């Protein structure tokens, strides 16, 4: 029986892994990410199935090779947590999930944007936590139908979000070097500078290319935005200069910021912090302290029933393809 060690499996995901296991693989479901410290848990398996924030660098890959593991697959679109060159040199097979429900992340992006625009978190915190039922100036808001939404990256997810906002009556502008005919029906394409200058809500949906677009949301980017704009990042944490965003919020040059991702987020996500075990990074603590103008979620964009089903089913199909046909269309080399 083909044995797969699956990492980063949340409690709500266990049922899906077992229900969708139509090929009857022997699954070991670990809630922890695969790290250097727990690499021994991969022993006695034929394959591993990873998610973002797992560590499949050269060090771990060499250990897995010693264990006889040939298949290092990920149930994510991104694969920067896997050292592709090292895997290829070691003769290991690597495959990914090329896509899943775009609505999952698009709906989260829209929800975060609307929450900040209408000051929902602020208002509920005042009433439910502080028990203060005054209507304060901060609770005054714009109607989204009178806003312009800027979508940076109009692929499947970005276009889905654009359609959702369009249904609310907003004007949509977009920036993307690859402009599809479908997107042109919804989005008015413009330069990045023009988008930033006119958008009340800016939402990011671009892939991360190491060494090319690191910290694209930087001080210069933020200076070009409207001072009462809302910024949303559900793409990758490496795309944002967190310190620059914190400064913009503190100086009231940005109305609100929401992110589902962080740079080196494995240090933070999937951990519980308190007074005895404080958040180990000043930038993340600063984001937390800026609540409710800053909303931080622990990478839950794909945490929906349909997206999870897509990721697990395609991952299992990837394994079946290489085992029965010798290759998978979703292999990376």
């Amino acid at each position: 029986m083909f044995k797969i060690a699956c990492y980063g499996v949340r409690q709500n995901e266990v049922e899906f892994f077992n229900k969708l296991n139509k090929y009857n693989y022997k699954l070991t479901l670990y809630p922890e990410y695969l790290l250097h410290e727990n690499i021994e848990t991969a022993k006695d398996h034929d394959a591993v199935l990873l998610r973002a924030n797992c560590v499949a660098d050269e060090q771990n890959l060499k250990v897995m090779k010693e264990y006889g593991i040939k298949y290092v697959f990920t149930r994510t679109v991104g694969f920067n947590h896997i050292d592709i060159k090292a895997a290829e040199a070691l003769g290991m097979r690597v495959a990914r999930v090329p896509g899943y429900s775009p609505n999952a992340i698009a709906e989260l992006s829209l929800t975060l944007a609307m929450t900040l625009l209408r000051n929902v978190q602020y208002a509920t915190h005042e009433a439910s936590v502080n028990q203060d039922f005054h209507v304060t100036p901060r609770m005054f808001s714009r109607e989204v139908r009178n806003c312009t939404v800027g979508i940076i990256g109009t692929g499947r997810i970005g276009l889905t979000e654009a359609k959702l906002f369009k249904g609310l009556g907003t004007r949509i502008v977009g920036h993307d070097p690859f402009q599809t005919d479908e997107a042109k029906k919804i989005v008015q394409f413009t330069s990045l500078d023009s988008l930033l200058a006119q958008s009340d809500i800016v939402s990011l949906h671009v892939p991360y290319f190491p060494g090319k677009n690191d910290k694209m949301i930087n001080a210069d980017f933020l200076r070009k935005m409207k001072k009462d704009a809302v910024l949303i990042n559900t793409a990758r944490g490496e795309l944002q200069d967190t310190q620059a965003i914190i400064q913009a919020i503190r100086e009231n040059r940005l109305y609100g910021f929401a992110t589902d991702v962080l740079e080196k987020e494995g240090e933070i996500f999937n951990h519980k912090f308190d007074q005895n075990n404080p958040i180990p990074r000043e930038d993340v603590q600063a984001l937390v302290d800026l609540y409710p103008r800053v909303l931080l979620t622990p990478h839950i964009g794909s945490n929906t029933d349909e997206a999870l089903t897509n990721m697990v089913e395609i991952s299992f199909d990837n394994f079946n393809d290489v085992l029965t046909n010798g290759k998978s269309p979703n292999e990376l080399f």
Side-chain angles (χ1 to χ4, degrees):
M1 185 176 292
F2 192 71
K3 294 178 286 187
I4 308 172
C6 307
Y7 291 90
V9 180
R10 297 165 179 156
Q11 184 177 357
N12 62 284
E13 296 179 331
V14 172
E15 177 186 356
F16 285 80
F17 272 82
N18 292 326
K19 178 179 65 176
L20 298 171
N21 187 16
K22 62 183 177 181
Y23 301 111
N24 295 314
Y25 300 129
K26 183 174 177 55
L27 306 176
T28 305
L29 307 180
Y30 294 112
E32 302 84 8
Y33 299 135
L34 177 64
L35 306 171
H36 291 147
E37 293 77 12
N38 64 351
I39 184 61
E40 73 281 353
T41 58
K43 194 173 183 179
D44 299 323
H45 292 87
D46 302 299
V48 296
L49 181 58
L50 310 177
R51 72 180 309 152
N53 298 316
C54 286
V55 177
D57 58 4
E58 185 176 15
Q59 177 181 326
N60 269 358
L61 290 171
K62 285 182 176 179
V63 175
M64 285 189 272
K65 178 73 172 181
E66 293 174 2
Y67 291 162
I69 293 173
K70 299 179 181 179
Y71 308 98
V72 181
F73 287 12
T74 182
R75 59 181 169 117
T76 56
V77 176
F79 49 88
N80 57 307
H81 50 294
I82 303 174
D83 187 331
I84 300 299
K85 290 184 179 179
E88 186 173 15
L90 291 167
M92 306 175 91
R93 309 284 287 274
V94 180
R96 65 165 182 160
V97 172
Y100 48 80
S101 171
N103 290 72
I105 296 175
E107 288 176 6
L108 177 63
S109 299
L110 180 143
T111 301
L112 291 171
M114 289 298 299
T115 298
L116 287 170
L117 187 74
R118 290 304 306 262
N119 302 297
V120 175
Q121 290 296 89
Y122 170 77
T124 55
H125 187 270
E126 288 296 290
S128 301
V129 178
N130 294 338
Q131 299 181 44
D132 185 345
F133 293 88
H134 288 98
V135 176
T136 68
R138 182 73 190 186
M139 295 178 190
F140 187 74
S141 70
R142 293 156 282 178
E143 292 186 16
V144 72
R145 67 190 181 93
N146 296 324
C147 293
T148 295
V149 175
I151 307 291
I152 303 175
T154 57
R156 293 174 68 242
I157 297 172
L159 180 56
T160 299
E161 186 184 13
K163 291 177 179 178
L164 293 174
F165 269 115
K166 191 71 172 181
L168 294 173
T170 63
R171 172 174 173 264
I172 312 294
V173 295
H175 177 72
D176 196 314
F178 306 102
Q179 302 171 10
T180 65
D181 291 337
E182 184 181 6
K184 289 177 181 178
K185 297 175 183 178
I186 304 293
V187 178
Q188 178 184 335
F189 284 99
T190 186
S191 68
L192 179 59
D193 285 359
S194 175
L195 181 150
L196 297 176
Q198 62 184 300
S199 297
D200 301 284
I201 296 170
V202 175
S203 188
L204 196 68
H205 295 292
V206 301
Y208 169 54
F209 300 108
K212 295 183 179 180
N213 60 352
D214 300 75
K215 292 182 170 55
M216 65 173 288
I217 303 175
N218 51 30
D220 184 56
F221 180 106
L222 296 166
R223 277 193 295 268
K224 295 174 181 177
M225 291 181 64
K226 296 177 66 173
K227 288 188 176 181
D228 60 351
V230 166
L231 174 63
I232 311 294
N233 182 12
T234 55
R236 285 291 180 269
E238 290 80 6
L239 298 171
Q240 68 193 32
D241 183 337
T242 302
Q243 291 293 353
I245 293 170
I246 291 168
Q247 191 69 17
I249 291 286
R250 287 174 174 169
E251 295 177 358
N252 292 316
R253 291 184 288 106
L254 191 61
Y255 191 77
F257 171 62
T259 184
D260 189 44
V261 291
L262 292 171
E263 186 178 12
K264 298 179 181 178
E265 62 187 39
E267 300 173 348
I268 304 298
F269 294 163
N270 211 32
H271 296 279
K272 173 69 170 67
F273 302 102
D274 53 36
Q275 290 183 341
N276 297 320
N277 179 33
I279 294 174
R281 285 171 45 184
E282 291 184 4
D283 60 334
V284 178
Q285 183 62 61
L287 291 175
V288 172
D289 291 341
L290 287 167
Y291 172 90
R293 291 184 62 191
V294 170
L295 304 181
L296 177 59
T297 52
H299 210 142
I300 62 170
S302 61
N303 194 32
T304 69
D305 52 357
E306 185 171 343
L308 177 60
T309 298
N310 296 156
M311 288 188 287
V312 175
E313 281 187 330
I314 295 172
S315 294
F316 288 167
D317 287 342
N318 286 343
F319 284 118
N320 183 65
D321 285 340
V322 296
L323 293 173
T324 59
N325 303 322
K327 61 181 180 179
S328 166
N330 297 322
E331 285 188 87
L332 295 175
F333 53 81

